[in-house]
Amino acid sequence: MTFTRAWLLVTLPGILLAFVLLVWTARSLVRTTRGSLLLSLPVAAEQPVEFRESGTMTLGVEGPITSSSFSGLAFTLLDDASGRAVPLERSLLQVRSASMSRAQIELYRLTLPASGRYTLRITGLPASASSSDRIVFGRPFIGALVAHVLALIGLGGLLVGSLVLTGLVVAKGPAQRANL
């Protein structure tokens, strides 16, 4: 068996595996991002919000990529049972996701003490707020996002490196292959 043939028997399955894992990881990232969404509400100065679960979540905004409707907004989330405000902490790492026409930005992190009915108040709403603008509550997913991005970079590097090395080995003449 020649060196080229042995090299191809090793690298071609590796290239195929890297490609399949790259596609699977990209699809998993999309599922993770979409699966983190708990609630999507229209933008309104005050509205009731019914949470089916408690725990740590994020509060963010979603709208057209070119929208500036969200600058200067202040949010208050009140527990209807106790009347107390739920503490909102500014997100240190504001996770942003975007498609071709829409963007979503995480603004705050919060911990709901219990499921149930709450009231969301927003001050500073501009008159130009679009009906397509949304307030979104979701589960934090920054850890999963970082893991997916690192996996995509690693698998992409493995795929490209394997393709380049295989191409170089196949392109070299038989006499040069013996020196490898």
Side-chain angles (χ1 to χ4, degrees):
M1 179 179 286
T2 67
F3 176 76
T4 303
R5 195 169 284 222
W7 181 262
L8 291 176
L9 284 174
V10 170
T11 60
L12 288 180
I15 289 170
L16 180 63
L17 180 64
F19 178 76
V20 168
L21 288 174
L22 191 65
V23 170
W24 181 83
T25 303
R27 293 184 70 189
S28 174
L29 176 59
V30 171
R31 280 191 308 272
T32 299
T33 303
R34 288 183 182 158
S36 69
L37 182 66
L38 296 173
L39 289 171
S40 178
L41 309 166
V43 176
E46 185 171 321
Q47 63 184 310
V49 183
E50 187 74 34
F51 290 102
R52 294 185 182 157
E53 51 190 273
S54 60
T56 303
M57 41 185 82
T58 62
L59 184 154
V61 292
E62 179 183 71
I65 286 183
T66 58
S67 176
S68 60
S69 302
F70 301 118
S71 60
L73 298 182
F75 296 86
T76 306
L77 186 64
L78 300 170
D79 184 346
D80 286 356
S82 68
R84 289 188 294 201
V86 175
L88 302 176
E89 299 173 9
R90 266 280 187 211
S91 292
L92 295 176
L93 298 172
Q94 292 185 338
V95 177
R96 297 171 185 185
S97 57
S99 64
M100 297 301 281
S101 61
R102 299 192 59 77
Q104 185 174 342
I105 303 169
E106 175 186 308
L107 299 175
Y108 297 98
R109 289 202 176 227
L110 59 119
T111 301
L112 284 184
S115 59
R117 191 176 167 107
Y118 291 77
T119 300
L120 177 64
R121 290 187 183 143
I122 305 172
T123 56
L125 283 173
S128 64
S130 169
S131 61
S132 66
D133 293 340
R134 309 289 290 177
I135 303 298
V136 291
F137 289 91
R139 288 277 174 216
F141 66 97
I142 193 158
L145 176 68
V146 168
H148 279 88
V149 168
L150 291 175
L152 288 170
I153 291 169
L155 289 168
L158 178 65
L159 179 63
V160 170
S162 296
L163 286 170
V164 168
L165 286 176
T166 299
L168 289 173
V169 167
V170 169
K172 287 186 178 257
Q176 293 176 336
R177 279 190 215 115
N179 296 332
L180 290 178

